[in-house]
Amino acid sequence: MDTQIVRIKIHPAIGIARVGNSDQPPFIGPESPDQPPLPPGSYKDGSGRVIRQAARFRVYGYNQAGEAVRELKLGEAGVTEIKWSVHLANKKAAWYQFHLALDIREALNLTTTQLRRRNFDVTGANRKKLVIDAGRKQIRASLHESVALAGKIMNRAVPLGSIATQTDGRLLVVGGAGKSASYANPEKPISGVVNNDTWYDDVSDGPVTAEVTIGGVTKTASPAWAVVAPPHFAPGVKTVRTLYDLLHDVFVTDRTLPAVQQVSYPEHIEPLLGRFCDLQWVNHGFAAQYGWAGPHDFRDPALRKRLNDPGEAGRELRRQVYVQMRDYERDGTSPLPWPWLYGDAMSSGKPTSVRQHIKISGEQDRMLARWADGRFTPGPPRKGHPDVDAAPVAAQPGLLDRGALENCAADAFHPGCEVTWPMRHKTLYSEPFRIRHRAPNTPEPDYGDVLTVQTALGSNGPLHAQEPGGLTRWMAAPWQCDAASCRSGYQVRSGLGPRYSPYLPTFWPAQVPNHVLKQADFSTVNTPPSGSDDSAREKAFENRAVWLRGLRGTDVNKQRRQMIDDWYKFGIVETHEYTVGDAKFPRYLQVESEPGYPPALDRANLVTLQVPEAGAPQRAGVAEVWTGEVAAESVEAMLVHQALQEVKEATGRDESEFAAGYLEKLDPFHGAP
């Protein structure tokens, strides 16, 4: 191999940090797609606060052929300096409302009011005060420097985290503390999932650059991007269609990356099918179908043997698995095909869009089709490279890029967990996975009071080179309101019949769990039976508690406000080993850490009831155009209470099982046909 370095690049190209409110040192986020989750107790400190996840960046030297030659570390092979710079910002409050992804045709039905700026009443030069900008900060690895990052919103200081170098010159980017607030005094009431005026949080994103002095010559590296996201509440679980899958498909479609020619069961098919199984730890519906000993437990050795055999005998089984995957043209709005995950145009009640649910990426579908046809190579389960530093140098950059993105969601950009729909546009990138940076002397245009679909998708729109804060500005404000609303089985009164499942479909369960195995139930499972009757352990294993059961009452707005204060009290789903040794249950189980809120019923908040008729007073109250004699929030509360009483009587469910209200995100067209 040619070892002469002609180019330098930062990896991962997109690094993911996550907020946390613990004072303990951060842990470093996943750096390989094969890296196992950390041991139990690694994600919260002794007081129950969430430990931050840091994004770690490295620089690699490449030869003329584009091959990674080695990682460039301070003090090794002539490297005398690595000068890093980071510029993080949060632009949510200064950006536009989110109701739907603007690149789907359903968005053409949005009204002008829905396309307006957030905090519309803030005008002129004051809008700059809505941007929390930490400024460009630079540190030198040779001096082991570190610097805090902070900005302001309406003259209120907002810490955004810090940056520091390790002794080998690698960069650590650490995000905020997970604190959200309203800059208004008194604070403005929470009224929605995504667009809460005056409210801000401390997630952020922005460019990461580096200059490396090697052999006395200073070279500029191809830059990267840092995203500071909300916590990953189930760090051992990946979703069916990850952000890496989505972006890989973007670049394969654009032919800037080659499509996989030789499909491998352990490399390409088994990881996808296995993710269906892993969702058993965060959603009870997935547990029933794909969980341990379930009808489609793809991790069962006997079933794996059949799926891993390219012979004619297994062709129909493979075909049946493949044809279960959703095809919009064939399936329309049916909720039955896989995966059972909500999509970009999800709405409550009877769906009207095929994008009510997601489908797997085009490249995932193509590989599954080849597998179903028997055109694949079998093999033992993939071991990969759990430790990036032990992998061949040429493989390390790709592992770093993939490791970060595989732990992010692309289930539904409604809007999503870490980032959202602009990520699927090739114009956002300078090369695969690398965000295109906007030059400091070419600021982004002012798009006006309303961001139309045409402008958003146009050649001078926001889907090109990015400024600090450009990726997270589309997300929920604040993120906790969306997290409190990430549930399963949303329904209106008319749909709560015998075919209703409170567990499926679902939003982002890998990031924000729906139903979890509690510590107490795991303790029962992991205790050897005292006699021949093992029913207690079996029952404990099958039991799942609602992850959001700690949200009090039935009012969704009050629950969202509680989540802003109590987000860190909810459990982290962690990997525990089953030690009884009788193979009665999986060797490893994902178990919720002990929550920090008072004990709650397992089924509390199981059913999310959408009350569309409460939307009119809710929207009018938010817009301050309500003219009724009774306050808008009182009318909204009365309508919700009435709906709740009706469904309690009709279904026989206990009131504690319901969370009820008007979720504007589930009614983007305000009930219009």
Side-chain angles (χ1 to χ4, degrees), residues 7 16 136 349 551 562 574 577:
R7 188 178 180 188
I16 307 295
R136 182 175 181 267
L551 295 179
Q562 181 194 340
E574 302 173 314
E577 186 173 5

Side-chain angles (χ1 to χ4, degrees), residues 114-241:
Q114 291 174 300
L115 299 170
R116 295 196 317 182
R117 302 183 194 265
R118 289 170 174 156
N119 298 293
F120 194 74
D121 60 331
V122 179
T123 59
N126 282 332
R127 290 204 63 83
K128 293 182 179 180
K129 296 181 180 180
L130 296 172
V131 176
I132 308 169
D133 192 339
R136 182 175 181 267
K137 297 293 188 291
Q138 191 173 81
I139 55 176
R140 292 164 291 179
S142 63
L143 300 180
H144 308 301
E145 292 178 316
S146 63
V147 63
L149 306 177
K152 291 182 179 181
I153 185 168
M154 291 300 183
N155 299 320
R156 290 188 175 203
V158 182
L160 291 181
S162 63
I163 57 174
T165 57
Q166 297 183 305
T167 55
D168 55 9
R170 295 171 178 172
L171 172 72
L172 291 182
V173 176
V174 181
K179 180 177 174 56
S180 299
S182 169
Y183 62 72
N185 188 17
E187 70 178 35
K188 189 169 183 176
I190 291 294
S191 59
V193 178
V194 180
N195 305 301
N196 288 287
D197 282 352
T198 78
W199 284 86
Y200 62 92
D201 57 33
D202 56 4
V203 305
S204 60
D205 69 279
V208 177
T209 61
E211 293 180 347
V212 181
T213 302
I214 177 171
V217 178
T218 299
K219 298 183 178 182
T220 300
S222 295
W225 205 269
V227 173
V228 179
H232 189 173
F233 287 101
V237 181
K238 296 178 183 178
T239 191
V240 172
R241 187 183 73 185

Side-chain angles (χ1 to χ4, degrees), residues 88 100 104 139 201 254 262 317 325 356 374 516 609 622 638:
L88 297 184
L100 281 178
I104 59 176
I139 55 176
D201 57 33
D254 188 64
Q262 184 58 59
L317 174 61
M325 301 297 172
Q356 176 79 3
V516 293
L609 178 66
V622 170
M638 287 188 290

